[in-house]
Every structure is written in structure tokens, then in C-alpha cells.
Amino acid sequence: MNSVKLLALDLDGTLLNSQKELTPRTRDALYAAAEAGVEIVPTTGRFFTGMPEVIQKLPFLHYAITINGAQVYDIRENKAVSTAEIPLETALRVLEYLDGCYQDNWGWMTRSMQENAAAFVPIDHSLRMVRSLRTPVDELKAYLREQNRSVQKLQLFTPDDALRGRLLIDLAERFPCLSVSTSMPCNIEINDAHANKGEAIAS
């Protein structure tokens, strides 16, 4: 363990089990690593306050890589160490295809889309997150124009696998400056090309 300086751990399906739980065995291993001087860094597509509370409250955490690497977050100082965000004008062009973004370490979406989220978010866990970790606004693009700032991530949900497959290809071709990915059967996530966990660890 002495040769290991840092453990960067994904959450869903890695640090957390399929029920989104931190098992006692994993928790004990994290504490043992921290006691040995290893820096434990959760890495996730979520923003920090969207992570399970059991992870947020681990007492030895100093940093978290969040929003697919769009932010390295200093937990103790409550500030970003580094960011890789999508410029506003690019985000507005992409939002012609979808509705949902992360800005200021929180989720935002058009109110009517959130009210009808069950129609396009078929996974219960994801639907709960869309309902509880998003602030509805009257119209997302208008809200972002008022804010006049870059965004951390854009997100789309659809139960139509064929449509999602076409959008993954089309968005990547239309916006080569962005990273277009998927982390579950019904979603598309869009970040700046430099927002990834590898570059975030290096920063």
C-alpha cells in the first residue's frame, strides 16, 4: 500500500454496489487505505452534492472529480480546483437537441420537461435524480442566456435506443469540440472535450 499515493474510484458499479450502496467491506477498505496515507478521490458524472451522502461524509476525503471530469472539487475548501466547461454559445446550439444541463454544481431543466420526465427516463433511480436534483426553469435556453456563463455538462434521456444511437453519432460529428458519451441505457452526456477523469486526475 505504501507505493500507492492515490485511488480515484468511480461510483456506480465500482465503489457502490448495484443498489447504490457502500458495503461494509468496501467502507473498511477505504478507511484502511486512507489510514495508510492514500488519497481517496471519488470520480463521477454527478456533481458533489448529487453523490450519495455516505460518500460525501467520508471524513478523509479532500478532493472529488465530478461531472465527468468537468470539475476537480476541493471538498474542504468548497471550491473548484480546475474546470473544463462548455462555452455558452456551444451549449445553446446543442440544446436544440435536448433539455438539461449542469451549472454551478446543480442540475437545471425546463419545467415542462421535468413534469413529464417519466415519459423519457425509464430507470427509476435516474427518474428520482431528475426530479430531486434539478431545478425547473420556465425555458432552459432563455435561463442560460440570462446567466451568460458556460455550463459544466449537458444531458439527455430517451427510452428510444435507436434514436439515442443516432444522436450519439450525430452530436459527435456536429460538435467535435465536445465529448459525447453514455453511462446507462437511456442517457447521453455531453462535456467539453477536456472534461474527463484522466485529465482531471493529472490536474
Side-chain angles (χ1 to χ4, degrees), residues 14 16 42 47 59 68 79 89 94 130 157 169-170 174-175 181 200:
T14 304
L16 304 175
F47 42 86
N68 293 353
K79 66 179 184 180
E89 289 305 317
V94 177
V130 165
F157 288 92
I169 294 169
D170 188 46
R174 288 177 181 266
F175 301 98
S181 63

Side-chain angles (χ1 to χ4, degrees), residues 110-203:
T110 298
R111 181 172 287 103
S112 62
M113 297 296 288
Q114 188 184 51
E115 290 170 352
N116 293 293
F120 51 88
V121 186
I123 298 173
D124 288 342
H125 172 71
S126 299
L127 183 58
R128 286 194 299 273
M129 291 183 71
V130 165
R131 287 174 169 164
S132 63
L133 299 176
R134 307 287 185 274
T135 294
V137 295
D138 288 337
E139 204 283 318
L140 183 60
K141 292 190 290 297
Y143 170 80
L144 291 176
R145 288 188 183 98
E146 289 174 6
Q147 297 297 302
N148 196 31
R149 289 183 287 112
S150 58
V151 303
Q152 295 163 311
K153 181 169 83 169
L154 300 165
Q155 192 170 43
L156 171 148
F157 288 92
T158 176
D160 186 331
D161 288 340
L163 173 62
R164 187 170 64 102
R166 291 195 300 272
L167 284 172
L168 283 166
I169 294 169
D170 188 46
L171 287 166
E173 289 178 348
R174 288 177 181 266
F175 301 98
C177 61
L178 301 179
S179 172
V180 182
S181 63
T182 181
S183 62
M184 61 185 70
C186 64
N187 88 335
I188 293 176
E189 299 181 16
I190 302 168
N191 288 88
D192 181 83
H194 295 288
N196 62 76
K197 295 170 184 177
E199 290 192 43
I201 289 171
S203 70

Side-chain angles (χ1 to χ4, degrees), residues 7-153:
L7 284 175
L9 299 162
D10 188 42
L11 295 189
D12 300 312
T14 304
L15 195 57
L16 304 175
N17 65 16
S18 58
Q19 283 75 49
K20 313 295 183 183
E21 300 168 334
L22 182 67
T23 66
R25 180 181 177 187
T26 302
R27 183 181 182 278
D28 290 347
L30 292 176
Y31 271 81
E35 288 171 8
V38 178
E39 189 79 54
I40 308 296
V41 181
T43 67
T44 179
R46 310 180 197 190
F47 42 86
F48 182 72
T49 55
M51 293 165 55
E53 192 171 313
V54 68
I55 302 298
Q56 292 184 49
K57 291 192 172 180
L58 290 171
F60 44 77
L61 295 183
H62 189 174
Y63 301 103
I65 295 170
T66 61
I67 316 171
N68 293 353
Q71 182 180 88
V72 179
Y73 179 65
D74 186 323
I75 299 162
R76 297 174 190 172
E77 298 293 329
N78 188 28
K79 66 179 184 180
V81 175
S82 68
T83 61
E85 299 185 346
I86 303 170
L88 174 61
E89 289 305 317
T90 303
L92 290 172
R93 287 169 56 211
V94 177
L95 283 169
E96 298 300 326
Y97 291 81
L98 51 89
D99 187 287
C101 78
Y102 288 13
Q103 187 180 64
D104 298 328
N105 300 317
W106 192 252
W108 307 85
M109 65 190 304
T110 298
R111 181 172 287 103
S112 62
M113 297 296 288
Q114 188 184 51
E115 290 170 352
N116 293 293
F120 51 88
V121 186
I123 298 173
D124 288 342
H125 172 71
S126 299
L127 183 58
R128 286 194 299 273
M129 291 183 71
V130 165
R131 287 174 169 164
S132 63
L133 299 176
R134 307 287 185 274
T135 294
V137 295
D138 288 337
E139 204 283 318
L140 183 60
K141 292 190 290 297
Y143 170 80
L144 291 176
R145 288 188 183 98
E146 289 174 6
Q147 297 297 302
N148 196 31
R149 289 183 287 112
S150 58
V151 303
Q152 295 163 311
K153 181 169 83 169

